[in-house]
Amino acid sequence: CRDGMHIYAGSVQDEEGKEAGRPFNLDDSKLLGSVMQPTYGGWCTPTLHIRGKGAADTEEPFAKVEGPCFFGGWSEMCCEFRF
């Protein structure tokens, strides 16, 4: 149960007749890096690993973003959250 994305420089145009927001033939020269969830998504702490261009999923990320265990809805009325 992992999710992730590749990050590209510049704007990306949707192609006529294709699913909006899903251009598959992007210019690799504009690739900046990737953001991936670790295996099992960080368990009870939402986690994202940020890697540079050409870095494999097995390499150590240069940055990591961690969020609180529970957030959203009415939880902001009781707690303050910082990502």
Side-chain angles (χ1 to χ4, degrees), residues 29-70:
S29 68
K30 293 184 176 185
L31 179 65
L32 298 176
S34 64
V35 178
M36 295 291 294
Q37 284 182 314
T39 303
Y40 304 114
W43 294 96
C44 291
T45 303
T47 304
L48 297 172
H49 288 169
I50 303 170
R51 294 182 176 85
K53 181 178 181 177
D57 285 351
T58 55
E59 292 183 40
E60 190 69 23
F62 72 81
K64 178 170 67 170
V65 178
E66 291 183 335
C69 183
F70 95 132

